Amino acid sequence: MANLFFPQDLVALAQRVIDENKALGRTVALAESCTGGLVCAALTEIPGSSAVLDRGFVTYSNEAKMEMLAVHSDIIDSFGAVSPATAWAMAQGAIKKSRADVAVAISGIAGPDGGSEMKPVGTVVFACAFRNDENVHAEQKLLEGKTRAEIRHQAAIIALELLLPSNEGLPEVTL
């Protein structure tokens, strides 16, 4: 039966994330901003996802990032909500406030408004943190999409790819 809510590529990748992490006994958490829970929703479409998905934080506002993930206001004030530093802090917060082995954070500008010359619409930052590892890997990308939905879809795909045990990961960030 076709999935009525999600594109097939999203469902297929979510299935891989659940299967591969379940095989390793690894759990995951998400800290989502511009995707608004889309990644968690895709994962929960998969039967057996409760063995892998520990929790998700939808921290759309700066206040939510600070309250739920302990992102320090100085980071947001200095670098902005869409920055490797903020995504790094979101991923760290998701690891600390969950029981997950790995956490992925996503923050971005999905549009159609909100972009600037320095951070145009389609700017999305991803970060990946692992339990018992102080290093956090983060990367800023410029996603090409004509619509908000296309940008959010691409961001969700990248976040799911980061949750695959076999992925190469992101460059390490030192703050």
Side-chain angles (χ1 to χ4, degrees), residues 1-8 11 45:
M1 182 173 133
N3 189 297
L4 300 175
F5 295 110
F6 296 100
Q8 187 53 44
V11 173
E45 280 293 299

Side-chain angles (χ1 to χ4, degrees), residues 42-96:
L43 290 171
T44 60
E45 280 293 299
I46 308 304
S49 60
S50 60
V52 173
L53 179 61
D54 178 62
R55 67 193 75 191
F57 302 91
V58 177
T59 55
Y60 204 69
S61 70
N62 291 343
E63 291 77 15
K65 289 172 183 64
M66 292 184 282
E67 292 168 12
M68 295 173 68
L69 298 173
V71 175
H72 201 281
S73 62
D74 288 350
I75 293 173
I76 294 172
D77 292 343
S78 298
F79 302 102
V82 180
S83 66
T86 297
W88 181 90
M90 289 170 65
Q92 279 291 80
I95 277 289
K96 289 176 181 167

Side-chain angles (χ1 to χ4, degrees), residues 30-174:
L30 277 297
E32 297 184 67
S33 185
C34 66
T35 49
L38 180 61
V39 181
C40 282
L43 290 171
T44 60
E45 280 293 299
I46 308 304
S49 60
S50 60
V52 173
L53 179 61
D54 178 62
R55 67 193 75 191
F57 302 91
V58 177
T59 55
Y60 204 69
S61 70
N62 291 343
E63 291 77 15
K65 289 172 183 64
M66 292 184 282
E67 292 168 12
M68 295 173 68
L69 298 173
V71 175
H72 201 281
S73 62
D74 288 350
I75 293 173
I76 294 172
D77 292 343
S78 298
F79 302 102
V82 180
S83 66
T86 297
W88 181 90
M90 289 170 65
Q92 279 291 80
I95 277 289
K96 289 176 181 167
K97 295 185 176 281
S98 74
R99 296 176 183 209
D101 299 305
V102 62
V104 167
I106 310 118
S107 186
I109 305 165
D113 302 318
S116 67
E117 191 174 320
M118 293 295 291
K119 294 180 186 174
V121 168
T123 301
V124 183
V125 185
F126 302 88
C128 192
F130 298 90
R131 180 149 317 276
N132 301 322
D133 183 354
E134 290 300 313
N135 298 317
V136 174
H137 306 270
E139 185 173 25
Q140 182 170 310
K141 294 179 177 279
L142 181 58
L143 305 181
E144 292 185 23
K146 292 184 174 85
T147 67
R148 180 177 180 83
E150 288 175 6
I151 291 168
R152 293 176 74 228
H153 176 237
Q154 289 176 48
I157 291 288
I158 293 167
L160 287 169
E161 288 171 347
L162 291 172
L163 290 170
L164 290 171
S166 58
N167 91 61
E168 293 292 320
L170 296 168
E172 191 172 307
V173 173
T174 306

